[in-house]
Amino acid sequence: MARPKVVLSKEIRLPARTVRDVRAACNPVFELSGDDLVKLREDLSSVRGGSRLVRMEESIRSALPGEYQIQLLSGHTGSGKSTELRWLARQLQFDKGGRVLYPLFIDIEEYLNPRDIQIPEFIMAIIAALLDDPRVGPDVRASETVKRFWKEVIQWLKDLSVTLESDIVAGLSKLKVTFRTSPGFQESFREQSHKHVKTLIETLSDVIEAARARLIKDDTHDLVIMVDKLDRIERLPLDDKTGRTRHDLFYLEQLPYIQDVPVHFVLTVPVTLHFTQDRLRQVFHGMTNVVLPMVAVHELHSDKPHIAGIEALTKLLARRVDLKETFQDDDALQFAIMESGGCLRDLFRLVSEAVLNKQALKLSRADIEIIAKENASNTERLLQGRSFLRDLHHVAKTGSFPEKFDDATKQWLLYNLIVIEYNGETWYDVHPFARRTRAYREAAPIPAPSP
């Protein structure tokens, strides 16, 4: 189900100074957009290894006519991909160098179940978003291509016992609701339309041309399709006994089909794809994969706090809450930041849940400790009995995985936020919640006896 669209800056006073407002300001369910994006986003590029979003924007802006790009934005869950993607969409709309672009921002969760997506329903969702769009939708819906296509869709769905209105607006509204609320419909639609993938892609290309024609009339130079939440496909094994996962099927086998579509794409994908770079380059031509790392809170090879990272996260938190009212002292604030591991969502969660637990502000180190222990307990269930526990100590000590460490296990550790990736020269660490678990502590190597 799509998350609620709430403009925090209109609902609460910022920076927050009450229990209710601090909980709301730090609730990761609320995504930043509109005024919130301007008021609450903190530029973390200086502690993330550079201005990745600026490079993505410039790459799109400088593209020659007919040179369409696919840019993949990857990163851990909770690293702020949605916020950065929305920020990029905002920047593309400004006139820079005489070029104005129109970003079609698609929250895939508003159209599909993001945990299990394949190419037929993905292409259908993009077509639906173009038809929905208030700026280009009217022109697109009026095209003969779309009228013919809609008749085909109505016929496809009759075989699934779903009747759609011939009016595109009404029919589309019903189709979206059916996708989101009818168990099994997404899979049934996929099976019914797999044989029509070529038609879907050709229709999407025609729809994009109709949208582009509308934009050019409005002195907008081109369209950029941006899809968020596409990284939420679950990394589960397929039922075909090949050893492949849903990730393999969609990202590496099916998603490359969109290279035939004449438009710029920016898509969020899981950080686990970072370990399939060779395969990505084989199936995508000229693809760019930008990784959004966590914010380092301690130095590599040391427990010494990373001052710049802590200061950046302090500024980020100060945009949302009154630090002096929320925390008892600087020690409690820094402790919360360190325990988050530089994961933005975990930092917000620690503060929000500590306030909920205490039902008061002036959080102490002990208040944060309670919530950190609770999160460690949840992580404990993931780690008990795992064969790689001793290897996690190698990661914590060296900042890298052991030689010949299994790629599938790397991906599992990153996907589940047991191991997190940092910037600069690219290094890894064990999340503080995982370090707290008994499973991790008891797997520590036994020190060699003194001579």
Side-chain angles (χ1 to χ4, degrees):
M1 182 177 292
R3 295 187 174 193
K5 304 300 181 185
V6 175
V7 181
L8 286 174
S9 55
K10 292 182 179 179
E11 298 292 332
I12 64 176
R13 183 182 175 186
L14 295 169
R17 296 177 175 84
T18 67
V19 168
R20 176 181 178 275
D21 287 358
V22 168
R23 286 192 59 218
C26 292
N27 188 339
V29 167
F30 298 140
E31 298 177 353
L32 302 188
S33 60
D35 291 343
D36 285 351
L37 195 61
V38 177
K39 294 178 181 178
L40 299 179
R41 175 188 178 267
E42 179 70 23
D43 183 3
L44 299 173
S45 59
S46 64
V47 290
R48 277 181 156 166
S51 301
R52 290 167 167 81
L53 271 292
V54 172
R55 294 200 299 271
M56 292 175 74
E57 179 187 355
E58 289 305 314
S59 181
I60 293 171
R61 283 188 181 278
S62 62
L64 297 174
E67 180 193 358
Y68 297 111
Q69 301 185 4
I70 296 175
Q71 301 213 32
L72 308 181
L73 178 62
S74 65
H76 291 283
T77 300
S79 61
K81 291 188 300 299
S82 293
T83 296
E84 294 305 292
L85 194 65
R86 288 184 184 275
W87 183 260
L88 175 59
R90 185 176 185 274
Q91 297 304 305
L92 289 171
Q93 297 175 69
F94 294 132
D95 186 339
K96 298 181 182 180
R99 286 184 63 78
V100 178
L101 300 167
Y102 184 65
L104 177 71
F105 190 97
I106 304 171
D107 182 340
I108 202 66
E109 205 170 30
E110 294 181 2
Y111 292 87
L112 302 171
N113 171 9
R115 293 174 178 80
D116 181 20
I117 295 175
Q118 291 188 30
I119 199 67
E121 63 266 31
F122 176 61
I123 298 297
M124 188 66 206
I126 297 175
I127 294 172
L130 283 157
L131 296 175
D132 263 347
D133 187 73
R135 184 167 173 187
V136 302
D139 282 42
V140 169
R141 292 193 297 270
S143 72
E144 291 302 318
T145 295
V146 167
K147 291 177 182 178
R148 287 194 302 270
F149 173 69
W150 189 249
K151 290 178 181 178
E152 292 182 45
V153 172
I154 290 173
Q155 191 59 47
W156 297 349
L157 296 190
K158 277 185 178 179
D159 295 336
L160 301 178
S161 301
V162 175
T163 301
L164 293 182
E165 290 82 348
S166 58
D167 176 76
I168 295 178
V169 175
L172 185 62
S173 177
K174 181 177 180 179
L175 181 60
K176 287 169 61 180
V177 171
T178 305
F179 264 119
R180 296 199 311 269
T181 62
S182 297
F185 175 75
Q186 189 166 315
E187 184 176 354
S188 298
F189 175 87
R190 173 190 310 159
E191 293 171 356
Q192 177 69 13
S193 57
H194 246 304
K195 58 183 174 289
H196 301 297
V197 168
K198 183 178 179 181
T199 298
L200 285 164
I201 291 176
E202 290 174 348
T203 300
L204 175 57
S205 298
D206 290 342
V207 166
I208 284 169
E209 289 304 328
R212 183 175 286 123
R214 171 71 268 169
L215 294 173
I216 290 173
K217 289 178 183 178
D218 295 340
D219 295 324
T220 300
H221 293 85
D222 214 338
L223 174 71
V224 182
I225 294 178
M226 312 180 78
V227 185
D228 192 21
K229 314 275 179 65
L230 199 59
D231 56 310
R232 298 191 178 181
I233 297 175
E234 292 181 333
R235 192 178 165 275
L236 296 176
L238 297 174
D239 296 329
D240 58 4
K241 299 181 181 179
T242 63
R244 296 178 304 158
T245 65
R246 288 181 182 175
H247 283 194
D248 297 325
L249 177 62
F250 181 73
Y251 300 115
L252 298 172
E253 298 177 28
Q254 296 184 346
L255 192 57
Y257 294 164
I258 66 171
Q259 293 175 106
D260 295 331
V261 180
V263 73
H264 297 294
F265 280 103
V266 182
L267 314 170
T268 57
V269 297
V271 71
T272 53
L273 287 191
H274 192 46
F275 288 98
T276 57
Q277 287 290 324
D278 290 343
R279 293 177 67 189
L280 282 172
R281 291 192 181 97
Q282 288 172 10
V283 296
F284 284 102
H285 312 298
M287 170 275 304
T288 301
N289 184 15
V290 175
V291 180
L292 193 68
M294 296 300 193
V295 177
V297 293
H298 70 83
E299 302 285 355
L300 175 61
H301 304 314
S302 168
D303 291 331
K304 180 181 177 182
H306 188 282
I307 301 303
I310 291 173
E311 288 179 349
L313 292 176
T314 299
K315 289 179 182 178
L316 171 69
L317 206 52
R319 287 180 177 269
R320 298 182 180 233
V321 303
D322 184 312
L323 298 180
K324 293 193 175 187
E325 289 295 324
T326 304
F327 295 95
Q328 187 178 88
D329 49 35
D330 288 342
D331 178 62
L333 168 61
Q334 181 164 321
F335 183 66
I337 292 173
M338 296 296 288
E339 285 299 304
S340 74
C343 174
L344 309 190
R345 184 171 299 173
D346 285 343
L347 174 58
F348 296 144
R349 182 184 298 143
L350 282 167
V351 176
S352 179
E353 292 181 1
V355 170
L356 176 62
N357 183 64
K358 187 175 184 177
Q359 285 298 299
L361 299 184
K362 297 292 184 181
L363 299 175
S364 66
R365 184 186 181 106
D367 296 325
I368 302 296
E369 175 76 16
I370 291 170
I371 306 304
K373 284 183 177 178
E374 289 180 359
N375 280 276
S377 294
N378 294 331
T379 306
E380 183 83 49
R381 299 182 186 98
L382 282 175
L383 294 183
Q384 278 291 336
R386 299 285 182 172
S387 60
F388 52 70
L389 287 167
R390 184 162 294 186
D391 293 319
L392 292 183
H393 288 269
H394 178 94
V395 174
K397 181 179 179 181
T398 67
S400 59
F401 286 97
E403 186 178 357
K404 297 181 180 179
F405 193 80
D406 179 59
D407 276 351
T409 305
K410 283 182 188 176
Q411 293 180 28
W412 186 90
L413 290 167
L414 291 166
Y415 184 77
N416 288 285
L417 288 180
I418 306 301
V419 172
I420 43 186
E421 179 175 330
Y422 293 111
N423 62 346
E425 61 189 76
T426 302
W427 58 284
Y428 302 91
D429 195 15
V430 179
H431 195 297
F433 294 164
R435 285 179 180 242
R436 284 176 167 269
T437 63
R438 187 174 74 256
Y440 175 80
R441 296 195 311 272
E442 291 179 353
I446 300 174
S450 300

